[in-house]
Amino acid sequence: MPSPFPSSTSNPGTGIIKLALRPPDQPVFEVLSFSYPLKLVVSADHNLQASATTPLRPSSVPLLFLLTYGGGLVSGDQIHLSISLAPKTRLTVATQGSTKIFKPSLPVDGSHPVQPPPLTRQDLCVCIAANAALWLGPDPCQPFASSRYAQAQIFEVDIEGGGSLGLVDWVSEGRSARGERWEFEGWTGKNEIWDVSSSANGKSGKGKNEKGAILVLRDNLILSAPGIASRVDSLGIFGTIILIGPLFLPLANFFIDEFKALPRIGARDWNAHKTLIAADTPSGTLLTDKERQEHWRKQRQGREKKDGVLWTAANVRGAVVVKFGASEVEGAKVWLREMLREEGTLDKEFGSGALMCVK
């Protein structure tokens, strides 16, 4: 008996998101489609207060969850997602937990396969128009032992027009509760940012693609067996933060300033003889902004040492790139949560949903 339903024309694992602005300033999804094993769920918007100083902003910021059935990707799964943000729109993309990369199944006879396991892959292509902004904040990727995974995230941003991008991209050692420590076969990740501004199209030279866009940043991470654990030393998680555009400029400067304030090897701590703010400061004591900031910084640096957090930040062609690692996933989340909450841009401009990855 033939099926009464029309046949599907979409490819497995394909998703399309197109966010537009309905006059005067209401964001709407013109297109929101997906197919198994990918699932896209829209949550409540974060309402933005009207501001005379920042007129180029929508009335709200949608929160979209990028999900997979079973909380992860089976060996050999392929995900292809495209996101297009119209001018003046904003979007937060998050997950509801770590993206698990499941290991391949063994042959029926229980023997180990001779060939490498199938590659699990996830590709993301994003177009950010003028005065639009995206915060991509997934939970850490968790590759199981013997798995193979690759991802490529390509961002085309109208930088001259005020397009903004912020993302965190991190991978953990695997199922530490089961004793796994960087035992997957391979994990590769690539992030590229292309400038699609009108001025970029008029420039000549190397680093241009077929669309005339100029390559601003390419960041690659390649973890391949054997011996991954020995190369990452004591780290249980490794991640990258990339920030570019005017909306993320305060957060980018915050990371740079805090990195400059880190104690340097061999440098004398000239404040060691002082008690800037005692732990038992009487309640009701008024602190200046500078004193409160210094107190917070000292406490955070103490937690960084305890949790084995290492990090660095640098300006790269107009973008700020932060590399970080920690002994455990929770330590990395605590550090990142402290940094993002202290600076405040994400909570103010994208809502609490933007911080779900560090809860």
Side-chain angles (χ1 to χ4, degrees):
M1 178 178 178
S3 173
F5 302 101
S7 59
S8 174
T9 58
S10 61
N11 296 320
T14 299
I16 301 175
I17 302 168
K18 292 185 178 181
L19 185 64
L21 208 63
R22 176 185 297 163
D25 55 7
Q26 181 63 39
V28 292
F29 287 99
E30 284 189 335
V31 178
L32 184 64
S33 66
F34 56 89
S35 58
Y36 181 89
L38 175 65
K39 187 174 184 180
L40 304 174
V41 178
V42 179
S43 185
D45 291 7
H46 168 67
N47 294 322
L48 295 173
Q49 295 181 354
S51 174
T53 58
T54 55
L56 299 175
R57 60 191 296 177
S59 61
S60 62
V61 182
L63 170 60
L64 185 140
F65 288 101
L66 173 61
L67 309 175
T68 51
Y69 292 84
L73 298 173
V74 178
S75 179
D77 277 350
Q78 306 283 316
I79 299 293
H80 304 278
L81 176 63
S82 67
I83 301 176
S84 179
L85 303 185
K88 290 178 57 177
T89 58
R90 296 183 191 176
L91 179 64
T92 299
V93 177
T95 59
Q96 289 185 326
S98 61
T99 300
K100 300 170 181 62
I101 311 300
F102 296 110
K103 65 180 181 179
S105 58
L106 295 174
V108 179
D109 58 6
S111 62
H112 290 281
V114 178
Q115 296 181 347
L119 179 67
T120 303
R121 185 170 186 87
Q122 193 163 217
D123 294 322
L124 173 64
C125 182
V126 179
C127 296
I128 302 175
N131 297 305
L134 171 69
W135 169 251
L136 179 61
D139 285 81
C141 181
Q142 186 184 33
F144 288 13
S146 303
S147 64
R148 293 175 65 233
Y149 175 79
Q151 72 174 29
Q153 300 184 145
I154 312 300
F155 304 92
E156 298 179 346
V157 186
D158 187 346
I159 297 177
E160 186 182 70
S164 299
L165 167 68
L167 69 91
V168 57
D169 183 17
W170 41 355
V171 55
S172 72
E173 61 189 346
R175 296 174 292 179
S176 56
R178 295 175 60 93
E180 293 181 1
R181 188 167 187 275
W182 306 104
E183 295 178 11
F184 45 85
E185 287 295 319
W187 192 100
T188 62
K190 177 175 69 173
N191 293 297
E192 289 185 357
I193 298 178
W194 294 81
D195 183 7
V196 294
S197 306
S198 57
S199 61
N201 293 330
K203 296 179 181 179
S204 60
K206 298 181 179 179
K208 299 188 69 174
N209 62 11
E210 63 279 0
K211 299 180 182 179
I214 294 180
L215 180 64
V216 176
L217 174 69
R218 175 180 287 137
D219 180 82
N220 289 330
L221 175 62
I222 302 175
L223 300 172
S224 57
I228 301 176
S230 62
R231 297 198 297 272
V232 298
D233 196 22
S234 60
L235 297 180
I237 184 170
F238 183 83
T240 302
I241 301 168
I242 299 177
L243 305 167
I244 191 170
L247 195 61
F248 291 104
L249 183 59
L251 180 58
N253 290 337
F254 179 77
F255 273 104
I256 293 294
D257 292 341
E258 288 302 312
F259 177 68
K260 291 179 180 178
L262 286 177
R264 297 295 182 245
I265 297 176
R268 178 178 176 181
D269 184 2
W270 295 98
N271 291 320
H273 66 289
K274 300 178 182 178
T275 304
L276 294 175
I277 301 174
D280 57 349
T281 299
S283 59
T285 300
L286 297 178
L287 305 176
T288 65
D289 290 342
K290 184 176 181 180
E291 288 175 331
R292 192 206 62 81
Q293 177 73 13
E294 189 64 25
H295 180 52
W296 171 83
R297 179 178 295 130
K298 292 294 182 181
Q299 287 186 323
R300 193 206 76 229
Q301 291 176 357
R303 283 190 293 270
E304 289 178 5
K305 184 176 181 180
K306 177 182 177 182
D307 294 334
V309 175
L310 300 173
W311 68 283
T312 184
N315 285 293
V316 182
R317 300 184 68 183
V320 167
V321 180
V322 181
K323 296 288 184 178
F324 66 94
S327 300
E328 297 180 358
V329 172
E330 186 60 28
K333 286 190 173 184
V334 169
W335 170 79
L336 186 54
R337 180 169 61 244
E338 288 286 319
M339 297 290 282
L340 297 179
R341 283 182 173 175
E342 177 67 17
E343 194 278 330
T345 290
L346 284 185
D347 193 38
K348 176 183 176 183
E349 303 291 351
F350 290 87
S352 59
L355 301 175
M356 291 197 65
C357 62
V358 293
K359 292 183 177 178

